[in-house]
Amino acid sequence: MRLNIPDRYLDLLPWLMATLLVAGIVHIVSVLLMPTVAPRDALGRLATYVKSAAPAEGVVLLPPMAPGDETLPFEDPAFAEAVCVYDLGKGPLRVKTSVDGEDFLGLSFHANAGRIYHSMTDRSAIKGKIDIVIGDARQIDAMQSADEGDAPPPSEVRLTAPAKRGFVLIRSLAKRPSDQERARNRLSAISCQRFDLPQG
Amino acid sequence: MDLRPYANYLRAGSAMIAGLAIGLLATVLSLNAGYGFNSLRAGPWAAWPHIGGADIDPYARAVISRSGEAPLGRDQGLAFIARADSDGAALDGECAYRIVDPMPAARFWTIALASPDGRLVANPTERYGYSSVDVLRKENGAFEIDVAREARPGNWLSPGQAQGFVVMLRLYDTPLDIESNPDPNSFPKIVKLGCA
């Protein structure tokens, strides 16, 4: 049996396949590049806000959410939120607070380009305390080798961040709208500070 | 002018341009379709638990870096979004809806309205959602939340003048299994009451 296709169309077949190949490559590359080229990703938005609000480091409270004035999209309006934007190039970071076991407090650790490498709630606090150290692989190694002595085992949780830049987003639930003030106070009690690696 | 000697160059050029256009179109379409793979669905509700963990897929990373959102961490809870009512019709600001029991197990939950691109919905009451603590319940613990433009007694959320909106259901510290679709009967229903 012979297919009755004019040669003209058969000649175009390789070009059609080339078109699809190019389309596939463009699609994959553009999807993979999106996190690096998107200018208004969460880190970009938060870094802009932190710079405009307070040039200091540490925990910066986000303004109460209002229509047209949301720092990030798709956030829960029942929450008060704070952020700690970091750059591990300057040193490792310690996030510390105590929890009362009653009110929901969520911490998520975001690397740049949209990846959460750790998240927790106040439920996983140890003895009512949250004490987390973030560092890059080299800084965590340095801390671990500094431990090898007769010092007591570290009391903090150590996280290796996959990228130097990122942010810690802290969400504090206001169970009722009238609890917003209390929820914001809980956020102010959190410390997020850079520290120097132990020498040795 | 005789273009025949250059025919192959022309074809290669148009293959490149057409490929570029098709590839970018495929990217735009796929990024508008949700947060990549592995969604959980229960009735009108959909969640993407993997966007809250380190194993997020490239499509979801592209979507959230474009929209600028910071998803809920997987160990914190699950955020479900409903763009349609329980009958599958898109949510419409002209219509009134009732969100009714049941609710999956969670330490806290919240139900809130949002615009399709994740902003708060401006409305005269300045209330944007209810939590498991401040929702008014009946004697047996059941609840109903009415979504309508006109004031309702009880739990009332107003979509204001918005045409389209979505309902967000967030479960905090939930034991829900994220490896398989949950039972839709354990999730709230969104019942359309009528349209203006």
Side-chain angles (χ1 to χ4, degrees), chain B residues 5 17 22 40 49 52-53 65 82 84 87 104 114 116 120 122 125 144 158 164 169 174 180:
Chain B
I17 291 167
I22 296 171
L40 286 186
S65 50
D87 292 327
L120 297 187
T125 64
E144 292 171 353
S158 166
L169 163 64
T174 173
S180 57

Side-chain angles (χ1 to χ4, degrees), chain A residues 9-23, chain B residues 11 15 18-19 22:
Chain A
Y9 292 123
L10 279 181
D11 282 351
L12 286 178
L13 194 63
W15 297 108
L16 198 67
M17 285 163 65
T19 305
L20 289 180
L21 191 70
V22 172
Chain B
R11 284 179 187 143
I22 296 171

Side-chain angles (χ1 to χ4, degrees), chain A residues 29-41 112-114, chain B residues 61-62 65:
Chain A
V29 168
S30 58
V31 166
L32 291 180
L33 273 184
M34 187 67 77
T36 27
V37 298
R40 298 277 295 148
D41 66 352
N112 59 354
Chain B
R61 280 179 70 186
S65 50

Side-chain angles (χ1 to χ4, degrees), chain A residues 6-179:
Chain A
D7 281 354
R8 211 149 45 90
Y9 292 123
L10 279 181
D11 282 351
L12 286 178
L13 194 63
W15 297 108
L16 198 67
M17 285 163 65
T19 305
L20 289 180
L21 191 70
V22 172
I25 294 170
V26 167
H27 173 60
I28 291 170
V29 168
S30 58
V31 166
L32 291 180
L33 273 184
M34 187 67 77
T36 27
V37 298
R40 298 277 295 148
D41 66 352
L43 178 60
R45 284 167 199 247
L46 292 169
T48 311
Y49 176 73
V50 166
K51 213 171 267 176
S52 72
E57 311 177 322
V59 174
V60 176
L61 264 71
L62 299 182
M65 282 170 242
D69 188 22
E70 304 92 343
T71 315
L72 297 175
F74 286 109
E75 285 302 311
D76 193 333
F79 276 69
E81 300 184 327
V83 70
C84 177
V85 177
Y86 63 76
D87 181 352
L88 296 175
K90 298 171 186 161
L93 196 77
R94 182 186 293 273
V95 183
K96 213 171 169 178
T97 189
S98 55
V99 298
D100 55 13
E102 182 65 34
D103 298 297
F104 181 94
L105 192 71
L107 284 82
S108 49
F109 298 80
H110 303 247
N112 59 354
R115 187 185 303 238
I116 296 180
Y117 57 95
H118 186 68
S119 62
M120 63 174 294
T121 70
D122 58 297
R123 271 213 175 152
S124 36
I126 300 162
K127 290 182 193 154
K129 294 256 185 288
I130 293 175
D131 188 359
I132 292 175
V133 165
I134 319 168
D136 60 18
R138 195 183 50 82
Q139 290 159 347
I140 297 288
D141 277 352
M143 279 176 243
Q144 243 130 28
S145 49
D147 284 344
E148 286 164 11
D150 13 280
S155 58
E156 74 256 9
V157 175
R158 287 173 182 164
L159 296 177
T160 308
K164 285 224 186 291
R165 294 187 64 233
F167 61 93
V168 186
L169 186 61
I170 308 151
R171 295 182 173 102
S172 170
L173 174 64
K175 287 182 274 191
R176 298 174 191 83
S178 54
D179 287 338

Side-chain angles (χ1 to χ4, degrees), chain B residues 119-178:
Chain B
R119 300 180 154 269
L120 297 187
V121 182
N123 71 72
T125 64
E126 292 187 16
R127 183 182 255 287
Y128 308 106
Y130 282 95
S131 78
S132 48
V133 177
D134 72 345
V135 74
L136 293 171
R137 292 171 190 272
K138 295 181 218 162
E139 271 167 24
N140 58 1
F143 69 90
E144 292 171 353
I145 298 173
D146 278 11
V147 180
R149 282 197 181 148
E150 330 69 64
R152 301 288 175 122
N155 304 307
W156 169 47
L157 289 176
S158 166
Q161 293 309 307
Q163 241 354 288
F165 65 93
V166 300
V167 182
M168 302 294 305
L169 163 64
R170 296 181 177 89
L171 307 170
Y172 294 100
D173 275 334
T174 173
L176 205 67
D177 176 22
I178 59 166

